[in-house]
Amino acid sequence: MLFMLVLFTVSSSFSQNKDPYKATLSGHIKSAYTGLDVIGATVYLESVQKGTATDVEGNFKIVVPKGLFKVRFSSVNMKTQIIEIDLIKDVNIEVELREEVLNLNEVTVFAEKQDANVKSLDVGKNELDINKINSMPAFMGEPDVVKSLMLLPGVSTVGEGASGFNVRGGGVDQNLILQDGALIFNPSHVFGFFSVFNPAVVKSASLYKNGMPAQYGGRLSSVLDVELQEGDFNEYKGEVGLGLVASKLALQGPIVKQKVSFLIGGRASYSDWLLNRAKDLELRQSSAMFQDMNAKLAYMVNDKNKISYSGYYSRDGFKFAAESDFEWSMMNHVVKWSHIFSDRADLDVNFVVGNYTSLVKENDQNIRYDVTSIIDYQKMSVKYSYLINERHSLNAGLESTYYQFQPGNRDVITENTSLTDLNIEKEKSIETGIYLEDDFTVNSSLSIRAGLRFSHFVNLGPGIDYLYGANDSRKENNITDTVYYDNGEQIASYQGLEPRVTVNYELTPTSSIKMGYNRTRQYLHMISNTAAVSPYDIWKTSNYYIPPEIGDQLSLGYFRNFRENQYETSVEVYYKHGTDVTDFKNGKDLFMNTNLEADLLTGESNSYGIEFFVNKKMGKLTGWMSYTYSRSFRKVEGENDDETISNGDWYPSNYDKPHDFTTAINYQSTPLVSFGVNFTYSTGRPVTAPELNYNVGNLTYVNSYSLRNELRIPDYHRLDISMNLKTKPKVERWWRASWTFAVYNVYGRKNAFSVYYKNEVGSPPSAYKLSVLGSAFPSIMLNIEF
């Protein structure tokens, strides 16, 4: 409350110092047909040759000298409106643009807006709208937000069917993933084949690889902020998608016209019929499924207040042959209040409640047991935005999250066994952040975004800490004492400043140089000795022995547009350094480990690289090409031998892939027919494997392993193609259909996910290559919009 009072006081003082000869024109632009926000619409005042564009919520603000103006409102495929406005004082307006239907053989639209690729303060940022995502070839015909991001420079994955993604040499747990402000701990369905984001309800996806705004914190590598649509306030609409292994449904419309709207979306898979027809017996005995649901309600209280609710639920299940069953689920509830104080100031308040649960069912012939892990959290955030003048835009706010972790609860089902039930001790923590940020235009060439975030973290009891002997490594047999903490008692606390700065210097109207620096602190850690996300992974809070990870990133880029902004090009170099990053001791089992801290190590990380990007935005042929050269290393050197990895030298991280080339191309041959092509190539990821073996008693073979991640699996490459066919629109028809035909992995490349070894009695270990998708996968999907 004190913080918000200071903000309002500051805003009042700024208001008193407002230029008396200038006025603010602000407002909101939406589609007259759908009622949805119009993103990137142009607002232009011809007499002063000044303009702006709407943001992701369809809002705009511009400061101009007082006077009478003709203001032009326009957007692609919509009719231009010119409105005469007398700006003798600040004015806020609501504008509706109507769709323009053109019956022409070919239409080329050139945007009037000066391209944000050059002009904006965003460095290391990529945005994908849902139309671009839907035009790309996808696995089994289902458009996918996460897989689309993996075609961008600096974004990669450890292999086919791997959950999560890696950004600029960072781990999968170092990405802050948000859906309408709610935390997503696992962004994938069915081990990476589908993402948790339903394309039928997604509005936009923004990925920050550097230059993170100060409002984001808690992760080292990136932020993926996915925003969902709001339901139409005027008309009922729907979408149905029918595919070979999954289908989707989305409905939206008004509950009270122009006042209350709803949106509901859901997906479900039915892939077992495909597995049952596989040649491999183990695949025929396997099963995989997922289902998810989104719901959103929006209530326009008045022209200054809006309240919305967003809900999400998902459930996954996977079973391989007669071995283990894996299940995991997520549930999030978000309530948001948006308030407009004036044409210059607004406030957003969010309340989030979330849960992530994973379940492992071990179905061994001799013993059966279930292991459950749970994350519960409650989050509150406040964001205040204030347009001081045409040079300064202020953002400030705070957020706080309360976590409760249940790392593992083992329930033994088999009777008469030595294995017993086991509960890993619960963990509680509170993470809080407060920030202030200013977007400042110095002159016509130089603009700066400077922000400062302060974060604080506290780990709370009940809990136990083990003490070890001086100069002894952390082992169970070296424990000298035990410290017990009561419920709510502080176990450990950490805090620190996180400065952020981005600079844009425009060399010419079509080129600029951008520099970005940010420091972030990560208080949550995903503990895993696998390369990809799995239900065996454990999320832990920082505590007495596990400090927060701290990351610094510096990037420098040159941005240049050609041919009236038809082509975007950029070259970015970056360097990242992290401290206290977590790793594990050699040969340790981390699953259901009651003394996990003893088997964890902390060290340093270094990542660096250069990214080339070319994007063609207009014309029949659109798409991009990117190439990234990057390296990612770690170093762990402790006081004892078992606390040191690879002799204390730098070693490649699990996701070190030096060369990465991707291309995504779409060709619109006619208004009703388009073709898509994706190609990706990357260096094989590092692995640790036996280099030699020796025998004991002529029967027992003992492996001698390489240093950590010293070897590599084969390189990865894949080609995907697709064709989209739309039915011809008719006025009397209330629905419209489209077909998507796609082939994933066209030439059937058997890309290696990993190389593993089997011990055979009386013989040396044999090497095997695991290919998750080793053949071409054709698919067909029918989409019906109504």
Side-chain angles (χ1 to χ4, degrees), residues 27 61 189 331 333 463 651 714 758:
K61 288 182 183 180
H189 286 311
M331 183 169 58
H333 303 278
Y651 61 93
K758 285 186 176 180

Side-chain angles (χ1 to χ4, degrees), residues 46 258 384 389 400 458 478 539 595 649 735:
E46 295 182 352
Q258 298 185 344
Y384 177 75
N389 52 45
S400 185
V458 57
N478 288 335
W539 282 88
N595 192 19
D649 298 327
W735 56 271

Side-chain angles (χ1 to χ4, degrees), residues 289-396:
M289 60 76 66
F290 78 86
Q291 54 187 329
D292 59 29
M293 177 175 287
N294 294 90
K296 194 163 186 176
L297 294 173
Y299 172 39
M300 300 293 298
V301 182
N302 51 45
D303 59 351
K304 291 186 178 295
N305 292 278
K306 180 171 71 174
I307 298 174
S308 64
Y309 162 80
S310 177
Y312 175 75
Y313 172 77
S314 71
R315 178 173 173 265
D316 282 75
F318 181 81
K319 177 183 179 181
F320 183 71
E323 299 178 6
S324 300
D325 289 0
F326 304 99
E327 296 181 10
W328 60 98
S329 64
M330 279 188 292
M331 183 169 58
N332 292 316
H333 303 278
V334 183
V335 176
K336 180 179 179 180
W337 170 49
S338 298
H339 176 71
I340 299 174
F341 290 103
S342 67
D343 296 337
R344 293 172 174 264
D346 55 69
L347 177 73
D348 288 331
V349 181
N350 276 29
F351 298 93
V352 184
V353 176
N355 169 272
Y356 175 68
T357 301
S358 66
L359 173 64
V360 177
K361 295 183 177 181
E362 188 61 49
N363 297 320
D364 187 87
Q365 293 180 353
N366 299 319
I367 186 170
R368 294 177 58 221
Y369 61 86
D370 297 344
V371 175
T372 305
S373 299
I374 301 173
I375 301 174
D376 288 307
Y377 75 93
Q378 296 86 43
K379 175 184 174 184
M380 184 276 292
S381 64
V382 178
K383 180 184 178 183
Y384 177 75
S385 301
Y386 183 75
L387 179 65
I388 302 173
N389 52 45
E390 59 183 350
R391 288 178 174 267
H392 286 275
S393 178
L394 183 72
N395 287 309

Side-chain angles (χ1 to χ4, degrees), residues 628-688:
T628 303
Y629 174 79
S630 61
R631 299 306 307 270
S632 175
F633 297 97
R634 289 193 169 192
K635 182 179 182 180
V636 177
E637 187 174 13
E639 297 181 356
N640 301 284
D641 290 342
D642 66 331
E643 297 173 330
T644 299
I645 298 176
S646 295
N647 302 320
D649 298 327
W650 290 95
Y651 61 93
S653 66
N654 290 336
Y655 23 85
D656 175 58
K657 304 171 75 171
H659 301 282
D660 190 288
F661 172 80
T662 59
T663 181
I665 298 173
N666 182 265
Y667 179 68
Q668 190 79 39
S669 60
T670 73
L672 302 178
V673 182
S674 65
F675 299 89
V677 177
N678 292 346
F679 177 76
T680 179
Y681 164 84
S682 63
T683 308
R685 67 176 179 87
V687 293
T688 306

Side-chain angles (χ1 to χ4, degrees), residues 704-716:
S704 177
Y705 283 84
S706 66
L707 297 177
R708 181 74 64 91
N709 290 340
E710 191 176 24
L711 306 177
R712 289 186 181 273
I713 64 175
D715 292 354
Y716 180 98

Side-chain angles (χ1 to χ4, degrees), residues 370-605:
D370 297 344
V371 175
T372 305
S373 299
I374 301 173
I375 301 174
D376 288 307
Y377 75 93
Q378 296 86 43
K379 175 184 174 184
M380 184 276 292
S381 64
V382 178
K383 180 184 178 183
Y384 177 75
S385 301
Y386 183 75
L387 179 65
I388 302 173
N389 52 45
E390 59 183 350
R391 288 178 174 267
H392 286 275
S393 178
L394 183 72
N395 287 309
L398 59 87
E399 65 177 12
S400 185
T401 308
Y402 173 59
Y403 298 99
Q404 298 181 82
F405 288 76
Q406 171 57 70
N409 181 4
R410 185 174 66 202
D411 182 16
V412 179
I413 300 173
T414 304
E415 298 180 356
N416 301 321
T417 177
S418 59
L419 193 68
T420 60
D421 293 348
L422 178 63
N423 291 327
I424 305 296
E425 190 172 60
K426 294 182 179 180
E427 296 181 327
K428 298 179 182 178
S429 59
I430 300 175
E431 181 180 350
T432 305
I434 184 171
Y435 63 90
L436 179 66
E437 186 174 71
D438 183 21
D439 284 11
F440 174 44
T441 302
V442 180
N443 52 47
S444 59
S445 299
L446 180 63
S447 55
I448 300 172
R449 174 185 294 152
L452 185 63
R453 181 184 180 92
F454 174 79
S455 62
H456 178 267
F457 179 88
V458 57
N459 177 215
L460 301 172
I464 297 174
D465 273 339
Y466 297 108
L467 303 182
Y468 301 87
N471 302 321
D472 285 339
S473 61
R474 295 202 297 268
K475 295 180 180 179
E476 189 172 355
N477 56 3
N478 288 335
I479 296 175
T480 60
D481 202 355
T482 304
V483 180
Y484 296 90
Y485 298 90
D486 293 331
N487 186 32
E489 186 178 357
Q490 177 177 304
I491 299 175
S493 67
Y494 301 93
Q495 60 189 25
L497 295 174
E498 303 175 22
R500 320 279 174 90
V501 62
T502 304
V503 179
N504 183 341
Y505 185 77
E506 296 182 25
L507 302 173
T508 69
T510 59
S511 64
S512 65
I513 293 177
K514 300 182 185 182
M515 185 276 293
Y517 165 78
N518 58 242
R519 163 169 283 199
T520 52
R521 295 171 181 268
Q522 180 166 332
Y523 299 101
L524 304 185
H525 318 271
M526 189 182 73
I527 309 302
S528 174
N529 51 13
T530 62
V533 178
S534 79
Y536 283 112
D537 299 330
I538 304 160
W539 282 88
K540 280 190 69 67
T541 69
S542 294
N543 54 31
Y544 182 81
Y545 286 111
I546 305 177
E549 302 176 18
I550 302 175
D552 294 279
Q553 181 178 177
L554 179 67
S555 67
L556 181 67
Y558 174 71
F559 298 79
R560 175 69 187 271
N561 291 353
F562 296 92
R563 297 187 64 180
E564 298 180 318
N565 296 324
Q566 287 192 65
Y567 292 88
E568 291 180 348
T569 65
S570 64
V571 180
E572 287 188 72
V573 295
Y574 68 88
Y575 173 76
K576 295 168 62 176
H577 179 72
T579 58
D580 291 320
V581 295
T582 59
D583 216 318
F584 57 90
K585 294 181 180 180
N586 292 325
K588 296 298 182 180
D589 186 4
L590 307 180
F591 187 61
M592 291 301 294
N593 190 327
T594 58
N595 192 19
L596 186 60
E597 290 86 351
D599 293 329
L600 296 180
L601 305 172
T602 57
E604 300 177 73
S605 66

Side-chain angles (χ1 to χ4, degrees), residues 9 84 251 386 407 484 599 613 616 626:
T9 305
E84 190 172 74
L251 299 171
Y386 183 75
Y484 296 90
D599 293 329
F613 186 62
K616 186 177 186 296
S626 70

